[in-house]
Amino acid sequence: MTTPFTPRHWSSRFAFLMAAIGSAVGLGNIWRFPYLAGENGGGAFILIYAATTLAIALPILISEIMLGRMGKQSPINAMRALIAEHKAARFWMLIGWGGIAGAFVVLSYYSVIGGWALKYVELALTGAFSGETEAAAADHFSTFVADSGSLMIWQTLFLVITAGIVAAGVTGGIERAVVMLMPLLFILLAAMAVYATTMPGFGAAMQFMLAFDFSEVTPGTVLAAIGQGFFSVSIALGTMMTYGAYLDEDVSIGQSAIVIAVADTAVAILAGIAIFPLVFSYGLEPSSGPGLTFITLPIAFGTIGNGVVIGGAFFILLTVAAVTSAISLLEPIVAWIEEGVHLSRKWLAIIVGAAAWVAGLGTVFSFNSWSDFHPMARFGVMEKMTVFDVLDFTTANLVMPTVGLLIALFAGWVLSGPVVEGALGARGKAWFPWWRFALRFIAPLGVVSIFVANVLM
Ligand code: PHE
């Protein structure tokens, strides 16, 4: 270690859990999961999602937190230390480099969409949705995204909040923010879900969410579920490794990972319970894709009795979820640079935040001036994709599966059984052999299959 820096250590298991759940619960749960479930037939998708998350994402989550705690530094330096200690090949540095690079790219586009959520808080609270028709809602959204200047303003605001929290340090910033924001998020979500049970469309919504209609299930559905599970529990981008590095030795990683994965899945399902009754009560389309949150819901908020309150609460919830995920994307990068450079964390958060802002411009322009620019037109699958689509596709479908696979192989095959058993404090625990089997066989096969199918499809 070349520079001393502000202490990076969770002050309690609760703080770690709130930070990790804060990372996992994000746009992925509240924006992406309901529309994916909506597009993929509802209940059957939810069931497959739960199964693949348990069998594939959870074992990798345990490994990632474990590697972080073993290495005790940012992903790049933790991997360097582990490789030296266990005489492994330099090749495994890809876990660190790939994670950090992926985190930067995801942060760049995540901040743009996080900015939309902020903008919609303003719209909801000022009553802008009142009397919204379907056409007006679509128009509202397309007018907003067509204006790059306004997207930049909201992207900036979102990044300022994110960088501000990371700048204040692990204990003084991240921990303080998550222990306050995560309970708020749970309360808002629970209140919305309870409210949804009183809506006329509740029955239809439950039927939709519980319809295990497997005739609609294709290999594509399974792949979408696996990909969503990775993104949703925040694996493979160095986040969980970094948060694991700040964790005390006596905290059980296996138990913690189960709490994180269960909370993450519960939030996704609660978000569905909060959202679909609104959609069904107003005869709207459950499978309206990414526009579900920003076009379909405002119509319901504009019609419903307490639309300003309910709509405001919903978009505040979405913003909180996005911010606590964005800080977990920024922290690994800041932590890494902090370990090698004589600059304060404050400056590093500002510099990396500014760099993510510049990189995010590609996403900003994807919705307006560059909407017809298809940078990867030469590659079949990416032919019609905008810059934003390419970034989202390559991180979620290429970088995350690759890094996730490497984590599974490194923790499952390179590190010996006794080493990982010790690192997890799992001697004699009944779940240990199950975890190791899932890590060595099920997770790699699952990941390789998403990878191949996504590239071929
Ligand atoms: N899990 C976050 C979400 O669901 C996204 C994320 C992925 C955050 C990876 C950090 C690391 O929105």
Side-chain angles (χ1 to χ4, degrees):
M1 208 66 24
T2 49
T3 35
F5 35 75
T6 40
R8 303 186 313 201
H9 198 258
W10 303 117
S11 39
S12 63
R13 177 180 123 111
F14 178 73
F16 162 70
L17 286 176
M18 288 303 108
I21 295 172
S23 171
V25 171
L27 295 168
N29 303 61
I30 299 164
W31 168 61
R32 205 166 183 257
F33 178 81
Y35 85 69
L36 275 181
E39 282 177 340
N40 288 289
F45 176 83
I46 297 174
L47 198 67
I48 298 171
Y49 171 81
T52 52
T53 299
L54 185 74
I56 300 175
L58 179 63
I60 298 181
L61 175 63
I62 294 176
S63 316
E64 191 174 332
I65 301 173
M66 177 192 79
L67 292 181
R69 186 164 75 178
M70 292 172 84
K72 295 214 171 13
Q73 296 164 72
S74 71
I76 290 174
N77 291 323
M79 284 310 298
R80 188 168 288 133
L82 290 175
I83 286 169
E85 191 183 333
H86 298 279
K87 307 201 174 33
R90 293 243 342 135
F91 166 80
W92 300 103
M93 282 303 291
L94 266 177
I95 294 176
W97 290 109
I100 291 289
F104 181 76
V105 173
V106 173
L107 178 64
S108 81
Y109 73 73
Y110 208 86
S111 317
V112 178
I113 316 285
W116 298 2
L118 264 179
K119 162 75 180 177
Y120 270 65
V121 171
E122 186 213 65
L123 289 178
L125 291 179
T126 55
F129 303 143
S130 117
E132 194 101 298
T133 59
E134 234 168 310
D139 197 48
H140 244 128
F141 181 70
S142 49
T143 314
F144 169 53
V145 298
D147 178 3
S148 55
S150 136
L151 293 189
M152 281 182 221
I153 292 175
W154 293 99
Q155 170 208 16
T156 308
L157 200 61
F158 184 87
L159 270 170
V160 166
I161 298 172
T162 305
I165 295 172
V166 171
V170 175
T171 330
I174 300 181
E175 222 180 275
R176 269 238 290 266
V178 295
V179 298
M180 195 178 73
L181 292 175
M182 292 315 289
L184 171 73
L185 183 147
F186 291 125
I187 293 168
L188 285 177
L189 186 60
M192 285 207 60
V194 170
Y195 179 81
T197 61
T198 67
M199 303 217 48
F202 182 69
M206 287 307 102
Q207 236 161 39
F208 173 73
M209 285 183 71
L210 297 173
F212 301 123
D213 180 4
F214 284 95
S215 66
E216 300 277 315
V217 172
T218 62
T221 317
V222 182
L223 301 180
I226 297 177
Q228 172 63 13
F230 262 63
F231 189 81
S232 195
V233 298
S234 294
I235 45 181
L237 293 186
T239 286
M240 290 298 178
M241 215 188 231
T242 307
Y243 280 7
Y246 307 162
L247 186 64
D248 270 346
E249 288 302 331
D250 60 359
V251 174
S252 157
I253 291 178
Q255 264 174 22
S256 303
I258 291 173
V259 172
I260 296 164
V262 168
D264 183 64
T265 307
V267 168
I269 291 171
L270 273 178
I273 295 180
I275 287 172
F276 287 120
L278 283 163
V279 173
F280 281 97
S281 295
Y282 294 101
L284 303 167
E285 197 35 69
S287 58
S288 52
L292 186 63
T293 301
F294 295 103
I295 300 174
T296 309
L297 283 183
I299 307 171
F301 296 140
T303 320
I304 209 172
N306 303 310
V308 169
V309 178
I310 312 278
F314 176 79
F315 285 108
I316 290 174
L317 165 78
L318 186 66
T319 305
V320 165
V323 167
T324 53
S325 295
I327 56 181
S328 78
L329 290 163
L330 180 55
E331 175 63 23
I333 309 171
V334 167
W336 166 54
I337 308 179
E338 193 178 39
E339 285 162 5
V341 161
H342 284 272
L343 255 185
S344 74
R345 163 176 281 264
K346 214 169 275 148
W347 278 108
L348 293 175
I350 295 171
I351 293 167
V352 180
W357 185 87
V358 173
L361 293 180
T363 294
V364 165
F365 295 136
S366 296
F367 297 94
N368 36 71
S369 31
W370 294 358
S371 60
D372 292 324
F373 172 47
H374 306 302
M376 297 290 180
R378 279 195 288 158
F379 301 91
V381 268
M382 294 192 253
E383 198 182 332
K384 298 217 166 57
M385 293 189 182
T386 60
V387 172
F388 164 66
D389 297 328
V390 169
L391 296 179
D392 181 38
F393 178 86
T394 48
T395 45
N397 296 342
L398 303 174
V399 177
M400 292 174 85
T402 307
V403 174
L405 172 67
L406 295 178
I407 290 174
L409 295 176
F410 185 78
W413 295 92
V414 176
L415 300 180
S416 72
V419 163
V420 287
E421 200 176 24
L424 290 173
R427 236 172 284 287
K429 295 271 164 64
W431 57 269
F432 180 77
W434 288 100
W435 166 74
R436 198 145 185 267
F437 178 78
L439 194 68
R440 301 180 79 170
F441 301 101
I442 303 177
L445 286 175
V447 171
V448 167
S449 66
I450 357 177
F451 192 68
V452 171
N454 273 300
V455 169
L456 296 183
M457 270 183 331

